[in-house]
Amino acid sequence: MIAEFGLAALWLAAALAAMQLVAGALVLRRDEPTLAALVRPAAVVQGLLAALSFGALFLLFVQTDLSVRLVAENSHTAKPMIFKIAGAWSNHEGSMLLWVAVMALAGALIALIEHRLPERTLLATLAAQAFVSLGFYAFLLVSSNPFERLSPAPPEGNGLNPLLQDVAAAYHPTTLYFGYVGLSVAFSFAVGALLTRQVTPDFARAMRPWVLGAWIFLTLGITAGSYWAYYELGWGGWWFWDPVENASLMPWLAATALLHSASVLAARDALRAWTIMLGVVAFSMSMIGTFLVRSGILTSVHAFAVDPERGSFILALLTLYIGSALTLFALRAGTVAEGERFSVTSREGALVVNNVALSAILAIVLVGTLYPLLTEAFGIKVSVGPPYFNPVSALFFLPMLVVLAIGPMLRWRRDSLGRVQNEAVLLGVIALLVLAGVWFNTSIGLLPLLGLALSVAVAVGSVLPLKGRSLRRLPLAVWGMVVAHFGIAVAMFGMSADSAFTKEKLVAATPGETVEVGPWKVTLETVEPVAGPNWTALEGVLVASYKGGKPKQIAPQSREFWSPVQKTSESALLTRWNGQLYAVLGEEIDGGRWQIRLWWKPFVTWIWYGGLLIGFGGFLALLGRVLGDLKRRNLQARIARRRRTAADEEQAA
């Protein structure tokens, strides 16, 4: 009965979404208080029903109910509980149901707490959210039913893809889904503001927390996914420009630009058209990413194997949503006032430059991701990888780092570079010193060299806005900006150092043999069989010492999963403050020798430390915005109470 309950809740949620859309649309055409009163309750109940539906699927996976097709195809009774739980969303249908549930809960939260927008704009926003949700409900109910029964039930399930049997599967997909849903909310706000012609600072203030929340989740999701692929796939790389990796990067780029534009609109009443357009583009990128992952047109370790019929359904949704939004923008763009003017040499001007650079990088990634698919449609197979993405995106990314270092020191509205020339000269000198120091001591490529120099300059520049200010009284939003920008510098330094200084060694070693890689000496002691809950493995015992220091043991494995049958390489990592030793065990070859691949990757962990700092900076900014809004509301409420009290006293007198 759990599956039937979940399906019924899903149908009811879809019906309420339809009612929410119709009621909201009719209110926009003609003001009817009765219909307007339906929209908020419909959004709240819809969110509860969608959450109950996903809760039912979650319970089915926990119980390993093999009479449900989705559970039988993605779980197994012998699988550890954490992977049973992760199985609820580590598949096509379950992940889409999670997406719908979070989207519905977001709509419910908007209906409950949002009071800054004019009522018509809020109702239009909720109607737009219902419009987006309805397409996903239809997708689940028509072509991807997560509660479909099997009769008879199989005696055992197939199990989860071994590459997904990692604790990262419990949090990496969910963080990305939360990010995508946040962008859907931003899209709904943008559509609602266009429909009512209310592109105002209040609209930006209402949308900004959702954009910031989505950006935080996307940042953490991309960071976690990068590290997961790094240690799980055994390739020794942290980013491969895989199309599915790009599918999460593209919304993040758009969300970063949108976050800056929304902040300028909220604080300075400028960049109105930018904010609306980026709201549409950010959600468009999440939809394109969904299509790439689930259409079956990609071959990727990250992609879901989905039949083309479902891909066509998603493509139809993408066309409907984005086509409608772009048409609405074209029709209403003339009604979006320009907003306040500002000088090119101002903080707004710096943010516009960064937005242009981010948009250019987004276009580069989008073209590089879709181009092989277009050529393959004509029978020509091409591969687009780092030789294209790295240098072409660097043309915009490196200048953006320069603006990122100087921009936060500029004043709003109007400023001059002369006022910050001392700081600019300091940052330039620092970059040149780093560049010269690295150049004269080692031979590396141009891009890593520039990346190292600019990352140090950005790190120093990120803290310069604190100069002369009381740190105790500094708003959390400013701290968030400082931490996030410093995190970008840390991550960039890690990327550049890994690219410049990585050492690799591939050997066929016998037990007792010692191999050198960079400053490490690694000895293969033995290779032994081991067993896990649903796998067996050969485990290589390696002893490694850094520059003759205390030896430490690591144990890479070559695993054989038996449900489903698949072989994986489990890397072993030895982490220091200045980098990681990365080891992978390969096959046994003639003479009892074992293939071992070793990497010494200086400062590679700084990539993910930087990602965490960026996310933490976003959290500080979000917390500051929320607390600031609460403080303003409390102040307004106190003022209103005092006025009512004064009026009552005056009337009594």
Side-chain angles (χ1 to χ4, degrees):
M1 290 297 293
I2 296 176
E4 287 70 26
F5 172 81
L7 184 59
L10 190 61
W11 274 106
L12 289 173
L16 282 171
M19 184 178 76
Q20 178 181 330
L21 172 60
V22 172
L26 290 176
V27 168
L28 291 177
R29 289 184 62 85
R30 54 182 187 273
D31 290 327
E32 294 190 17
T34 304
L35 288 175
L38 289 176
V39 178
R40 285 182 187 258
V44 174
V45 178
Q46 181 206 153
L48 293 175
L49 287 170
L52 286 173
S53 181
F54 181 76
L57 183 67
F58 183 88
L59 188 57
L60 291 170
F61 270 88
V62 170
Q63 295 178 348
T64 318
D65 187 343
L66 298 175
S67 68
V68 176
R69 180 185 296 276
L70 190 64
V71 179
E73 291 178 349
N74 295 278
S75 193
H76 193 283
T77 56
K79 194 166 61 174
M81 179 57 69
I82 183 63
F83 301 138
K84 289 183 180 181
I85 292 173
W89 55 76
S90 297
N91 56 78
H92 170 71
E93 291 86 352
S95 63
M96 294 303 292
L97 181 56
L98 175 62
W99 185 328
V100 167
V102 177
M103 188 185 302
L105 286 172
L109 190 60
I110 293 171
L112 286 171
I113 70 172
E114 184 51 59
H115 300 288
R116 287 168 293 190
L117 291 176
E119 187 67 12
R120 281 176 57 82
T121 303
L122 177 61
L123 296 180
T125 298
L126 291 174
Q129 187 76 352
F131 174 64
V132 174
S133 298
L134 264 178
F136 288 99
Y137 282 125
F139 181 57
L140 282 168
L141 294 170
V142 173
S143 68
S144 299
N145 179 10
F147 299 104
E148 182 182 351
R149 289 284 191 181
L150 279 176
S151 183
E156 192 51 88
N158 292 337
L160 186 65
N161 182 340
L163 292 176
L164 300 178
Q165 293 189 36
D166 186 275
V167 69
Y171 59 81
H172 164 59
T174 53
T175 52
L176 289 179
Y177 300 153
F178 291 158
Y180 292 155
V181 169
L183 294 182
S184 78
V185 174
F187 173 82
S188 299
F189 272 110
V191 171
L194 274 178
L195 287 171
T196 58
R197 298 179 174 87
Q198 292 290 327
V199 184
T200 63
D202 284 337
F203 145 74
R205 293 187 194 103
M207 181 175 72
R208 182 171 54 186
W210 294 96
V211 178
L212 187 50
W215 182 81
I216 293 169
F217 279 116
L218 286 174
T219 299
L220 297 178
I222 292 171
T223 301
S226 170
Y227 192 61
W228 181 12
Y230 168 75
Y231 70 75
E232 179 65 29
L233 299 180
W235 297 346
W238 51 270
W239 193 264
F240 308 103
W241 293 108
D242 181 283
V244 181
E245 290 176 330
N246 295 346
S248 62
L249 177 63
M250 291 187 291
W252 184 87
L253 291 169
T256 305
L258 174 60
L259 178 60
H260 289 137
S261 292
S263 296
V264 172
L265 176 54
R268 302 293 166 179
D269 194 17
L271 302 185
R272 293 181 179 180
W274 263 103
T275 303
I276 293 294
M277 191 62 191
L278 286 170
V280 174
V281 169
F283 181 63
S284 303
M285 293 302 103
S286 67
M287 285 297 299
I288 289 174
T290 302
F291 171 70
L292 291 174
V293 174
R294 301 168 193 281
S295 63
I297 65 174
L298 290 179
T299 301
S300 168
V301 295
H302 305 81
F304 290 106
V306 180
D307 60 84
E309 180 182 347
R310 294 175 178 177
S312 300
F313 202 122
I314 296 175
L315 183 60
L317 289 180
L318 190 155
T319 304
L320 175 64
Y321 293 151
I322 307 311
S324 301
L326 291 177
T327 301
L328 178 63
F329 181 79
L331 294 174
R332 296 290 175 89
T335 67
V336 179
E338 181 182 356
E340 297 293 332
R341 294 177 176 271
F342 53 85
S343 170
V344 174
T345 53
S346 64
R347 190 175 298 187
E348 294 97 328
L351 290 173
V352 169
V353 172
N354 274 359
N355 280 359
V356 171
L358 287 167
S359 300
I361 296 170
L362 172 59
I364 290 165
V365 176
L366 180 63
V367 169
T369 303
L370 297 182
Y371 181 71
L373 304 179
L374 295 175
T375 59
E376 190 169 352
F378 294 97
I380 303 172
K381 289 191 175 184
V382 298
S383 177
V384 178
Y388 162 77
F389 288 107
N390 289 344
V392 179
S393 60
L395 292 175
F396 298 93
F397 184 71
L398 294 178
M400 187 179 71
L401 289 178
V402 176
V403 178
L404 181 67
I406 299 174
M409 292 180 283
L410 295 173
R411 291 172 178 166
W412 295 104
R413 299 290 187 213
R414 183 178 298 277
D415 203 350
S416 66
L417 293 178
R419 193 185 63 82
V420 295
Q421 64 180 359
N422 292 337
E423 291 84 353
V425 169
L426 172 64
L427 297 180
V429 170
I430 290 172
L432 288 175
L433 288 175
V434 174
L435 190 148
V438 175
W439 177 267
F440 287 119
N441 286 281
T442 186
S443 177
I444 62 174
L446 177 62
L447 289 182
L449 179 63
L450 293 175
L452 289 170
L454 287 175
S455 63
V456 176
V458 171
V460 176
S462 66
V463 299
L464 287 181
L466 303 178
K467 186 181 67 173
R469 305 180 69 171
S470 173
L471 299 185
R472 284 187 174 183
R473 298 180 180 180
L474 203 63
L476 276 177
V478 176
W479 278 114
M481 177 194 71
V482 170
V483 172
H485 287 185
F486 185 77
I488 291 173
V490 171
M492 187 64 193
F493 185 87
M495 295 174 192
S496 303
D498 175 66
S499 177
F501 306 123
T502 291
K503 304 295 182 182
E504 181 181 0
K505 184 71 68 74
L506 175 62
V507 297
T510 56
E513 187 174 345
T514 298
V515 181
E516 292 188 15
V517 55
W520 291 89
K521 290 186 177 181
V522 183
T523 302
L524 173 63
E525 289 202 337
T526 183
V527 178
E528 301 173 344
V530 294
N534 59 341
W535 50 264
T536 58
L538 290 172
E539 182 178 87
V541 179
L542 305 176
V543 175
S545 63
Y546 180 82
K547 293 184 177 179
K550 182 179 179 181
K552 297 183 179 180
Q553 189 178 96
I554 54 175
Q557 295 177 347
S558 177
R559 288 185 183 177
E560 292 273 1
F561 286 83
W562 46 268
S563 183
V565 176
Q566 187 170 332
K567 188 171 183 178
T568 66
S569 294
E570 301 296 320
S571 63
L573 306 174
L574 193 53
T575 304
R576 290 175 46 86
W577 70 272
N578 62 338
Q580 266 186 345
L581 176 67
Y582 186 113
V584 176
L585 179 68
E587 302 284 343
E588 183 181 13
I589 59 177
D590 295 339
R593 295 183 299 163
W594 293 87
Q595 291 180 339
I596 300 175
R597 175 161 278 171
L598 301 169
W599 286 270
W600 165 236
K601 306 178 77 62
F603 298 102
V604 68
T605 52
W606 288 33
I607 298 171
W608 304 294
Y609 295 152
L612 294 176
L613 282 173
I614 296 169
F616 181 62
F619 171 75
L620 289 178
L622 179 60
L623 183 61
R625 300 297 184 192
V626 171
L627 293 178
D629 287 343
L630 289 175
K631 185 181 293 186
R632 279 190 293 271
R633 289 183 188 180
N634 290 335
L635 179 61
Q636 291 170 356
R638 286 199 300 270
I639 293 173
R641 283 197 300 269
R642 289 173 184 171
R643 288 176 177 173
R644 286 195 301 268
T645 301
D648 292 342
E649 290 175 352
E650 183 179 350
Q651 186 176 6

